[in-house]
Each structure stands twice: as structure tokens, then as C-alpha cells.
């Protein structure tokens, strides 16, 4: 305990960095509170090291609380936007370009199934394709193969 009180600034900075590492590495930026508190602890530790904040419990706790609030107010929206960002590009997979023969006729309103790797996939098309026609996979979605005539 004496080690922590004699090195309060270094202890605060270390604890803040530890919280930031836990937030990013372990929790994957899923919650922001550890980010805000970690940043506040680093700033408060730096202020203690420069003797702008005395090495006493109340001023340190108050400084951490104030900076946590400031970081939350400033960083909440940008971090939330960063967290909700989605990839919109299509992923090319091994099924695209694969060819097979249809068992049943399909059109824009109906579909059939095709067994592939032990999974029954829904086969869909934007236009009518007769049974027995050779088709090529042009796109995939969850459980669906979109095809067109080969």
C-alpha cells in the first residue's frame, strides 16, 4: 500500500493504461466506460506527477470524476459512430462461379434447394430458369445461392 501512495502518479497512469488495454484487447471496445475512466486516470496521474493535483484521496477522486465526465461528453458520439460502422462490400467466396444443373424450374417468385457440402441451400434467380438448365452462382447470402443461366 505504501508503494502505491508513494508513487501515486505512476500508479494512476498504470491503472489507466491497464483499463484501456482491457477495454480494447479483452472487451473489444464493446463498452466505453473503461475507456473514459482509463483516460481520466492517465490524465489525473499526469497531473499528480506534475504536482498540479495533491497526493490526497479526495482531489484525485474528484479529478478522475471530472475528467471521466469530460471524456464521456466529448467522445461518446464519435466512439458510438465508430462502433456502429458496418462493412458494405461484398465478400467473394468459393461458391461464386460454381456451376450445377437445376432440378426444378425457378423464377423470381419461387426457389428450389440444392445440397452442397451437406447443407440444403435455397436456390433463387431474378428470372425464369427451366429445370435441367446449367446455372452459375453469381451471389450468396445466408443460406441462399443466387444463380443465372451458365
Amino acid at each position: 500500500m505504501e508503494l502505491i501512495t508513494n508513487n501515486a502518479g505512476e500508479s494512476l497512469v498504470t491503472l489507466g493504461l491497464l483499463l484501456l488495454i482491457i477495454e480494447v484487447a479483452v472487451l473489444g471496445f464493446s463498452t466505453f466506460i473503461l475507456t473514459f475512466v482509463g483516460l481520466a486516470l492517465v490524465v489525473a496521474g499526469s497531473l499528480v506527477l506534475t504536482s498540479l493535483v495533491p497526493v490526497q484521496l479526495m482531489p484525485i477522486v474528484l479529478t478522475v470524476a471530472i475528467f471521466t465526465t469530460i471524456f464521456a461528453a466529448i467522445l461518446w458520439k464519435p466512439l458510438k459512430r465508430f462502433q456502429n460502422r458496418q462493412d458494405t462490400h461484398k465478400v467473394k467466396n468459393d461458391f461464386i462461379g460454381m456451376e450445377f444443373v437445376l432440378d426444378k424450374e425457378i423464377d423470381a417468385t419461387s426457389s428450389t434447394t440444392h445440397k452442397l457440402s451437406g447443407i440444403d441451400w435455397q436456390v433463387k434467380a431474378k428470372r425464369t430458369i427451366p429445370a435441367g438448365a446449367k446455372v452459375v452462382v453469381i451471389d450468396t447470402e445466408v443460406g441462399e445461392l443466387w444463380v443465372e443461366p451458365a
Side-chain angles (χ1 to χ4, degrees):
M1 188 68 176
E2 202 173 300
L3 178 68
I4 293 173
T5 55
N6 289 340
N7 300 306
E10 292 91 346
S11 299
L12 290 170
V13 171
T14 303
L15 182 60
L17 291 175
L18 183 65
L19 287 179
L20 291 171
I21 289 169
I22 290 171
E23 173 70 36
V24 173
V26 176
L27 300 176
F29 240 16
S30 61
T31 175
F32 300 134
I33 189 67
L34 293 182
T35 303
F36 304 144
V37 174
L39 289 172
L41 284 169
V42 170
V43 170
S46 300
L47 292 174
V48 169
L49 286 172
T50 58
S51 300
L52 293 173
V53 173
V55 184
Q56 295 174 354
L57 184 62
M58 278 314 280
I60 291 174
V61 169
L62 187 61
T63 303
V64 170
I66 290 170
F67 277 106
T68 299
T69 305
I70 290 170
F71 285 128
I74 293 171
L75 296 175
W76 180 264
K77 284 191 179 184
L79 288 176
K80 195 69 171 164
R81 222 179 5 254
F82 172 74
Q83 188 181 48
N84 290 336
R85 189 181 60 193
Q86 297 176 350
D87 279 340
T88 56
H89 70 281
K90 287 282 189 179
V91 177
K92 181 161 174 55
N93 59 42
D94 293 340
F95 294 139
I96 296 177
M98 183 184 74
E99 296 180 355
F100 61 93
V101 177
L102 279 180
D103 295 337
K104 293 197 251 178
E105 178 178 297
I106 58 172
D107 59 24
T109 60
S110 67
S111 65
T112 186
T113 59
H114 180 72
K115 193 169 201 91
L116 184 62
S117 299
I119 299 173
D120 286 329
W121 293 78
Q122 290 289 317
V123 180
K124 296 185 174 185
K126 293 181 180 174
R127 58 183 178 179
T128 303
I129 303 174
K134 190 173 188 178
V135 293
V136 62
V137 178
I138 57 168
D139 194 15
T140 60
E141 293 178 9
V142 177
E144 297 177 345
L145 300 174
W146 286 87
V147 298
E148 65 182 19

